[in-house]
Amino acid sequence: MSGRFITFEGIDGAGKSSHIEALALWLRARGQRVVVTREPGGTELAEALRELVLHRSMDAMTEALLVFAARRDHLRTRIEPALAEGSHVLCDRFTDATFAYQGGGRGFDAEVLQTLEGWVQQGRQPDLTLWFDLPASLAAQRRQAVRRPDRFEAEDEAFFARVRAGYAARAAADPGRFSVLDAAQPLDAVWQQVQATVEARPWW
Ligand code: TMP
């Protein structure tokens, strides 16, 4: 049987990354095969593109084209083969991030993003998306600990408020796929939400 594709989303500082490893351990303890990966990245080519997107100056269209180029390689050479052989794929960010960051944050045309999404993904969508939702002001406080911010982490609170609105629009458009988690809660309480959400799916 094909594996499940689960994505993790949220503005920078929402604290999703530690829960990905925790969910991988939890699923493996139940005898499931799991691949943990991230975007932009997850393959040699896509990781090279990630370096450019995070650290080189470029406009929103170039950003969008590069993240979709990285996604294409990642899907074709890593995600699709893993799902086909029955592994679950836990991915730190996916296309919702493009709609949130390039669409919401940078104001890039959502219709063009939809066209690229169709070309690149050929109908593939996550089975479940965990959105770690947090007000932009709280996320900014959490990000203060980051010493050398990348091009996104260096953006101001207004940018992240737009990114959050971008996520909200995607979640409203596909409520069956999205699960909204309250990331303002303590780590342990957020983990309980993650576990309960995944366990409630009829897949296991
Ligand atoms: P990360 O720090 O969570 O690994 O994500 C890297 C950054 O890339 C993050 O600030 C969000 C940004 N990003 C986009 O702008 N568009 C995308 O499509 C993806 C996947 C990430």
Side-chain angles (χ1 to χ4, degrees), residues 67-82:
V67 294
F68 271 117
R71 183 162 301 135
R72 175 71 185 170
D73 189 59
H74 192 205
L75 266 173
R76 213 173 57 79
T77 68
R78 187 132 189 247
I79 297 175
E80 294 292 358

PDB file of all heavy atoms in Angstrom, residues 67-82:
ATOM      1  N   VAL A  67      11.692  27.608  -6.113  1.00  0.00           N
ATOM      2  CA  VAL A  67      11.128  26.646  -5.145  1.00  0.00           C
ATOM      3  C   VAL A  67      10.334  25.568  -5.876  1.00  0.00           C
ATOM      4  O   VAL A  67      10.357  24.394  -5.482  1.00  0.00           O
ATOM      5  CB  VAL A  67      10.286  27.272  -3.995  1.00  0.00           C
ATOM      6  CG1 VAL A  67      11.157  28.114  -3.082  1.00  0.00           C
ATOM      7  CG2 VAL A  67       9.093  28.043  -4.486  1.00  0.00           C
ATOM      8  N   PHE A  68       9.677  25.924  -6.992  1.00  0.00           N
ATOM      9  CA  PHE A  68       8.967  24.887  -7.750  1.00  0.00           C
ATOM     10  C   PHE A  68       9.946  23.978  -8.510  1.00  0.00           C
ATOM     11  O   PHE A  68       9.667  22.780  -8.670  1.00  0.00           O
ATOM     12  CB  PHE A  68       7.931  25.495  -8.696  1.00  0.00           C
ATOM     13  CG  PHE A  68       6.578  25.669  -8.057  1.00  0.00           C
ATOM     14  CD1 PHE A  68       6.019  26.925  -7.891  1.00  0.00           C
ATOM     15  CD2 PHE A  68       5.848  24.563  -7.615  1.00  0.00           C
ATOM     16  CE1 PHE A  68       4.763  27.090  -7.297  1.00  0.00           C
ATOM     17  CE2 PHE A  68       4.595  24.705  -7.020  1.00  0.00           C
ATOM     18  CZ  PHE A  68       4.052  25.976  -6.862  1.00  0.00           C
ATOM     19  N   ALA A  69      11.059  24.515  -8.955  1.00  0.00           N
ATOM     20  CA  ALA A  69      12.077  23.664  -9.605  1.00  0.00           C
ATOM     21  C   ALA A  69      12.624  22.655  -8.589  1.00  0.00           C
ATOM     22  O   ALA A  69      12.756  21.461  -8.883  1.00  0.00           O
ATOM     23  CB  ALA A  69      13.197  24.524 -10.175  1.00  0.00           C
ATOM     24  N   ALA A  70      12.915  23.156  -7.390  1.00  0.00           N
ATOM     25  CA  ALA A  70      13.402  22.267  -6.326  1.00  0.00           C
ATOM     26  C   ALA A  70      12.346  21.206  -6.015  1.00  0.00           C
ATOM     27  O   ALA A  70      12.659  20.018  -5.846  1.00  0.00           O
ATOM     28  CB  ALA A  70      13.726  23.093  -5.075  1.00  0.00           C
ATOM     29  N   ARG A  71      11.106  21.638  -5.957  1.00  0.00           N
ATOM     30  CA  ARG A  71       9.987  20.718  -5.634  1.00  0.00           C
ATOM     31  C   ARG A  71       9.835  19.624  -6.690  1.00  0.00           C
ATOM     32  O   ARG A  71       9.568  18.468  -6.379  1.00  0.00           O
ATOM     33  CB  ARG A  71       8.708  21.556  -5.514  1.00  0.00           C
ATOM     34  CG  ARG A  71       7.459  20.786  -5.123  1.00  0.00           C
ATOM     35  CD  ARG A  71       6.390  21.745  -4.609  1.00  0.00           C
ATOM     36  NE  ARG A  71       6.898  22.466  -3.463  1.00  0.00           N
ATOM     37  CZ  ARG A  71       6.761  23.792  -3.280  1.00  0.00           C
ATOM     38  NH1 ARG A  71       6.103  24.531  -4.155  1.00  0.00           N
ATOM     39  NH2 ARG A  71       7.283  24.371  -2.224  1.00  0.00           N
ATOM     40  N   ARG A  72       9.991  20.000  -7.936  1.00  0.00           N
ATOM     41  CA  ARG A  72       9.867  19.035  -9.029  1.00  0.00           C
ATOM     42  C   ARG A  72      10.878  17.897  -8.860  1.00  0.00           C
ATOM     43  O   ARG A  72      10.555  16.716  -8.947  1.00  0.00           O
ATOM     44  CB  ARG A  72      10.080  19.766 -10.361  1.00  0.00           C
ATOM     45  CG  ARG A  72      10.099  18.882 -11.567  1.00  0.00           C
ATOM     46  CD  ARG A  72       8.728  18.343 -11.866  1.00  0.00           C
ATOM     47  NE  ARG A  72       8.775  17.404 -12.966  1.00  0.00           N
ATOM     48  CZ  ARG A  72       7.760  16.632 -13.328  1.00  0.00           C
ATOM     49  NH1 ARG A  72       6.611  16.721 -12.699  1.00  0.00           N
ATOM     50  NH2 ARG A  72       7.878  15.808 -14.328  1.00  0.00           N
ATOM     51  N   ASP A  73      12.136  18.289  -8.611  1.00  0.00           N
ATOM     52  CA  ASP A  73      13.188  17.284  -8.449  1.00  0.00           C
ATOM     53  C   ASP A  73      12.919  16.416  -7.220  1.00  0.00           C
ATOM     54  O   ASP A  73      13.063  15.197  -7.254  1.00  0.00           O
ATOM     55  CB  ASP A  73      14.551  17.986  -8.328  1.00  0.00           C
ATOM     56  CG  ASP A  73      15.689  16.981  -8.368  1.00  0.00           C
ATOM     57  OD1 ASP A  73      15.797  16.253  -9.378  1.00  0.00           O
ATOM     58  OD2 ASP A  73      16.450  16.902  -7.389  1.00  0.00           O
ATOM     59  N   HIS A  74      12.515  17.078  -6.135  1.00  0.00           N
ATOM     60  CA  HIS A  74      12.241  16.389  -4.867  1.00  0.00           C
ATOM     61  C   HIS A  74      11.099  15.376  -5.028  1.00  0.00           C
ATOM     62  O   HIS A  74      11.204  14.225  -4.585  1.00  0.00           O
ATOM     63  CB  HIS A  74      11.877  17.466  -3.831  1.00  0.00           C
ATOM     64  CG  HIS A  74      11.833  16.987  -2.419  1.00  0.00           C
ATOM     65  ND1 HIS A  74      11.070  17.637  -1.480  1.00  0.00           N
ATOM     66  CD2 HIS A  74      12.418  15.943  -1.777  1.00  0.00           C
ATOM     67  CE1 HIS A  74      11.210  17.001  -0.321  1.00  0.00           C
ATOM     68  NE2 HIS A  74      12.020  15.987  -0.465  1.00  0.00           N
ATOM     69  N   LEU A  75      10.024  15.808  -5.682  1.00  0.00           N
ATOM     70  CA  LEU A  75       8.870  14.930  -5.881  1.00  0.00           C
ATOM     71  C   LEU A  75       9.242  13.717  -6.731  1.00  0.00           C
ATOM     72  O   LEU A  75       8.931  12.575  -6.388  1.00  0.00           O
ATOM     73  CB  LEU A  75       7.756  15.694  -6.607  1.00  0.00           C
ATOM     74  CG  LEU A  75       6.682  16.354  -5.757  1.00  0.00           C
ATOM     75  CD1 LEU A  75       5.777  17.203  -6.653  1.00  0.00           C
ATOM     76  CD2 LEU A  75       5.844  15.330  -4.985  1.00  0.00           C
ATOM     77  N   ARG A  76       9.908  13.995  -7.851  1.00  0.00           N
ATOM     78  CA  ARG A  76      10.195  12.963  -8.844  1.00  0.00           C
ATOM     79  C   ARG A  76      11.193  11.929  -8.327  1.00  0.00           C
ATOM     80  O   ARG A  76      11.032  10.741  -8.557  1.00  0.00           O
ATOM     81  CB  ARG A  76      10.768  13.647 -10.085  1.00  0.00           C
ATOM     82  CG  ARG A  76      10.442  13.005 -11.415  1.00  0.00           C
ATOM     83  CD  ARG A  76      10.937  13.879 -12.556  1.00  0.00           C
ATOM     84  NE  ARG A  76      12.367  14.140 -12.462  1.00  0.00           N
ATOM     85  CZ  ARG A  76      13.316  13.290 -12.815  1.00  0.00           C
ATOM     86  NH1 ARG A  76      12.997  12.113 -13.311  1.00  0.00           N
ATOM     87  NH2 ARG A  76      14.585  13.606 -12.688  1.00  0.00           N
ATOM     88  N   THR A  77      12.235  12.412  -7.629  1.00  0.00           N
ATOM     89  CA  THR A  77      13.321  11.484  -7.289  1.00  0.00           C
ATOM     90  C   THR A  77      13.257  10.981  -5.848  1.00  0.00           C
ATOM     91  O   THR A  77      13.938  10.019  -5.510  1.00  0.00           O
ATOM     92  CB  THR A  77      14.705  12.116  -7.539  1.00  0.00           C
ATOM     93  OG1 THR A  77      14.910  13.184  -6.607  1.00  0.00           O
ATOM     94  CG2 THR A  77      14.813  12.658  -8.956  1.00  0.00           C
ATOM     95  N   ARG A  78      12.466  11.633  -4.999  1.00  0.00           N
ATOM     96  CA  ARG A  78      12.479  11.201  -3.592  1.00  0.00           C
ATOM     97  C   ARG A  78      11.077  10.925  -3.046  1.00  0.00           C
ATOM     98  O   ARG A  78      10.816   9.840  -2.531  1.00  0.00           O
ATOM     99  CB  ARG A  78      13.179  12.286  -2.759  1.00  0.00           C
ATOM    100  CG  ARG A  78      13.395  11.890  -1.337  1.00  0.00           C
ATOM    101  CD  ARG A  78      14.800  12.149  -0.832  1.00  0.00           C
ATOM    102  NE  ARG A  78      14.963  11.552   0.476  1.00  0.00           N
ATOM    103  CZ  ARG A  78      15.139  12.235   1.601  1.00  0.00           C
ATOM    104  NH1 ARG A  78      15.204  13.557   1.572  1.00  0.00           N
ATOM    105  NH2 ARG A  78      15.271  11.599   2.752  1.00  0.00           N
ATOM    106  N   ILE A  79      10.165  11.902  -3.138  1.00  0.00           N
ATOM    107  CA  ILE A  79       8.858  11.741  -2.479  1.00  0.00           C
ATOM    108  C   ILE A  79       8.036  10.642  -3.151  1.00  0.00           C
ATOM    109  O   ILE A  79       7.561   9.719  -2.480  1.00  0.00           O
ATOM    110  CB  ILE A  79       8.082  13.083  -2.469  1.00  0.00           C
ATOM    111  CG1 ILE A  79       8.842  14.128  -1.645  1.00  0.00           C
ATOM    112  CG2 ILE A  79       6.666  12.882  -1.920  1.00  0.00           C
ATOM    113  CD1 ILE A  79       8.222  15.520  -1.659  1.00  0.00           C
ATOM    114  N   GLU A  80       7.859  10.729  -4.479  1.00  0.00           N
ATOM    115  CA  GLU A  80       7.010   9.740  -5.164  1.00  0.00           C
ATOM    116  C   GLU A  80       7.552   8.316  -5.008  1.00  0.00           C
ATOM    117  O   GLU A  80       6.777   7.404  -4.694  1.00  0.00           O
ATOM    118  CB  GLU A  80       6.825  10.101  -6.646  1.00  0.00           C
ATOM    119  CG  GLU A  80       6.033  11.393  -6.897  1.00  0.00           C
ATOM    120  CD  GLU A  80       4.548  11.324  -6.510  1.00  0.00           C
ATOM    121  OE1 GLU A  80       4.077  10.262  -6.071  1.00  0.00           O
ATOM    122  OE2 GLU A  80       3.873  12.352  -6.627  1.00  0.00           O
ATOM    123  N   PRO A  81       8.878   8.081  -5.184  1.00  0.00           N
ATOM    124  CA  PRO A  81       9.376   6.717  -4.993  1.00  0.00           C
ATOM    125  C   PRO A  81       9.154   6.205  -3.572  1.00  0.00           C
ATOM    126  O   PRO A  81       8.803   5.041  -3.374  1.00  0.00           O
ATOM    127  CB  PRO A  81      10.879   6.833  -5.316  1.00  0.00           C
ATOM    128  CG  PRO A  81      10.991   8.034  -6.198  1.00  0.00           C
ATOM    129  CD  PRO A  81       9.920   8.979  -5.750  1.00  0.00           C
ATOM    130  N   ALA A  82       9.343   7.071  -2.565  1.00  0.00           N
ATOM    131  CA  ALA A  82       9.159   6.636  -1.167  1.00  0.00           C
ATOM    132  C   ALA A  82       7.697   6.254  -0.917  1.00  0.00           C
ATOM    133  O   ALA A  82       7.415   5.200  -0.322  1.00  0.00           O
ATOM    134  CB  ALA A  82       9.581   7.751  -0.210  1.00  0.00           C
TER     135      ALA A  82
END
